[in-house]
C-alpha cells in the first residue's frame, strides 16, 4: 500500500468517525479529570495542614512526624510513591497517550504528530518501573487499611461516622485498583508454567483476572475516592462541615 493510499484511507476513516461520533469528547473529559485531580492534589499537599480530624487521617499525608531536616510539606515524603504507581499504570498510559499525546487520540483517528517512538526511549521508558512502584503501593495500602480501621474506633469503642464510611470506601476502591493491576496479576500467576501444580494460585489468578477486566473502572473510582477523602477530612478539620455519627 502506498503512502498516499494509506493517508487517504486514514483521512476517510477519520472523517467518517467524526461524522458519527464525538471522538474528542473522551480525551477531553480525561484531560479535565486528570488535570483537576493533579491540581487539587498539588494544592492539598502544599498546604501541610488540616490533614487530620480526630480518628480520621488524609491518605495524602504520612503517619509519621515530619523530620526536622525536611523543609517542605510532609505530604511530599510519601506522595511520590502512589503518584509513581498511578503515572506508570497501564491504563493511565493508554489514557495519557490518547488524551494528552494524541498518539492516537481515538480508534481510527490519525496521530496528531509524527515520530512517535512509544516507550522505547527516555523519558517514557521509565514507565517500565511500574512493577517496582507496585511493591511500594502495597506498603502504602497496608497503612491506609490501618487508618481505615482507626476510623471506626471512637474513644476506644466501635462506632462509625460518615467519615468512617468515606475512609473505608476509599481503601476498598484502592484495594480493587491495586489487585486489578496488570503487574499484580503477573505476580500472582504470571510466571507459572503449570497451573495444575498450584491450584490456589490458579484460583487467585482467576479472581484477579476478573478484576483486571475492569481496571479502568477501579482506576477512576479510586482516583475520585482518594481526592474526596482528603477533601472531606480537610473540611472537617477546617470547621467548615461537621461529621455525622451513625452509631
Ligand atoms: Fe494500572 Fe498496575 S496496571 S495499576
Amino acid at each position: 500500500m502506498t503512502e498516499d493510499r494509506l493517508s487517504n484511507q486514514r483521512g476517510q476513516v477519520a472523517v467518517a468517525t467524526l461524522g458519527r461520533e464525538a471522538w474528542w469528547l473522551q480525551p477531553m473529559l480525561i484531560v479535565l479529570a486528570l488535570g483537576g485531580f493533579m491540581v487539587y492534589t498539588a494544592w492539598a499537599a502544599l498546604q501541610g495542614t488540616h490533614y487530620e480530624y480526630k480518628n480520621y487521617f488524609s491518605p495524602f499525608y504520612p503517619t509519621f512526624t515530619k523530620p526536622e531536616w525536611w523543609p517542605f510539606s510532609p505530604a511530599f515524603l510519601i506522595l511520590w510513591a502512589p503518584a509513581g504507581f498511578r503515572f506508570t499504570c497501564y491504563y493511565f498510559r493508554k489514557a495519557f497517550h490518547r488524551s494528552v499525546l494524541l498518539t492516537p487520540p481515538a480508534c481510527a483517528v490519525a496521530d496528531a504528530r509524527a515520530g512517535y517512538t512509544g516507550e522505547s526511549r527516555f523519558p517514557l521508558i521509565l514507565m517500565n518501573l511500574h512493577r517496582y512502584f507496585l511493591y511500594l503501593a502495597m506498603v502504602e495500602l497496608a497503612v491506609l487499611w490501618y487508618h481505615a480501621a482507626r476510623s471506626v474506633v471512637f474513644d476506644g469503642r466501635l462506632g462509625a461516622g460518615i467519615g468512617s464510611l468515606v475512609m473505608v470506601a476509599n481503601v476498598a476502591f484502592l484495594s480493587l485498583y491495586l489487585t486489578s493491576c496488570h503487574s499484580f496479576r503477573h505476580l500472582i500467576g504470571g510466571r507459572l508454567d503449570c497451573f495444575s501444580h498450584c491450584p490456589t494460585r490458579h484460583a487467585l489468578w482467576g479472581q484477579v483476572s476478573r478484576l483486571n477486566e475492569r481496571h479502568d473502572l477501579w482506576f477512576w473510582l479510586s482516583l475520585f475516592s482518594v481526592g474526596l477523602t482528603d477533601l472531606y477530612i480537610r473540611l472537617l478539620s477546617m470547621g467548615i462541615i461537621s461529621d455525622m455519627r451513625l452509631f
Side-chain angles (χ1 to χ4, degrees):
M1 185 179 289
T2 66
E3 192 59 37
D4 273 355
R5 282 184 61 198
L6 182 63
S7 52
N8 280 343
Q9 187 186 53
R10 276 185 176 171
Q12 285 165 3
V13 172
V15 170
T17 304
L18 269 172
R20 288 196 302 272
E21 300 169 9
W23 62 264
W24 46 267
L25 184 61
Q26 186 177 347
M28 188 186 74
L29 291 176
I30 287 175
V31 167
L32 287 175
L34 288 177
F37 177 78
M38 286 183 208
V39 169
Y40 174 77
T41 304
W43 175 82
L46 283 168
Q47 301 310 301
T49 55
H50 297 303
Y51 52 84
E52 190 173 14
Y53 177 78
K54 295 183 180 173
N55 52 339
Y56 302 154
F57 203 88
S58 164
F60 287 171
Y61 280 78
T63 316
F64 53 84
T65 312
K66 185 179 89 156
E68 284 184 7
W69 49 263
W70 182 256
F72 309 109
S73 163
F76 293 113
L77 285 167
I78 60 153
L79 267 187
W80 59 272
F85 185 56
R86 286 266 172 194
F87 290 155
T88 56
C89 164
Y90 290 23
Y91 172 74
F92 175 85
R93 284 144 76 172
K94 182 185 113 178
F96 184 77
H97 280 294
R98 289 195 172 186
S99 308
V100 180
L101 300 181
L102 303 177
T103 51
C107 290
V109 179
D111 287 5
R113 63 197 179 101
Y116 171 63
T117 58
E119 296 178 342
S120 58
R121 295 193 194 155
F122 184 83
L124 292 182
I125 198 170
L126 294 178
M127 294 293 186
N128 292 298
L129 293 174
H130 186 62
R131 74 196 70 169
Y132 304 108
F133 279 117
L134 167 68
Y135 304 139
L136 294 171
M138 290 164 85
V139 175
E140 174 73 9
L141 187 64
V143 173
L144 292 182
W145 269 109
Y146 164 72
H147 284 307
R150 276 190 63 219
S151 76
V152 295
V153 178
F154 294 81
D155 300 323
R157 306 179 69 162
L158 205 59
I162 297 293
S164 316
L165 295 184
V166 168
M167 289 189 65
V168 171
N170 176 49
V171 80
F173 284 137
L174 285 170
S175 300
L176 287 166
Y177 174 53
L178 188 145
T179 52
S180 65
C181 166
H182 294 69
S183 293
F184 186 75
R185 180 170 174 263
H186 178 74
L187 197 65
I188 294 294
R191 286 178 299 167
L192 292 180
D193 289 332
C194 183
F195 279 134
S196 59
H197 290 162
C198 307
T200 307
R201 284 184 72 181
H202 184 221
L204 280 173
W205 181 81
Q207 296 299 327
V208 170
S209 298
R210 261 187 283 282
L211 285 175
N212 178 259
E213 289 171 12
R214 296 314 315 271
H215 189 56
D216 53 346
L217 176 68
W218 309 129
F219 175 92
W220 287 112
L221 287 176
S222 60
L223 189 86
F224 289 126
S225 75
V226 78
L228 289 173
T229 302
D230 177 86
L231 179 64
Y232 185 77
I233 294 167
R234 187 166 296 282
L235 293 178
L236 287 175
S237 172
M238 294 168 79
I240 295 175
I241 59 172
S242 51
D243 190 46
M244 191 170 81
R245 276 290 292 274
L246 302 175
F247 64 89

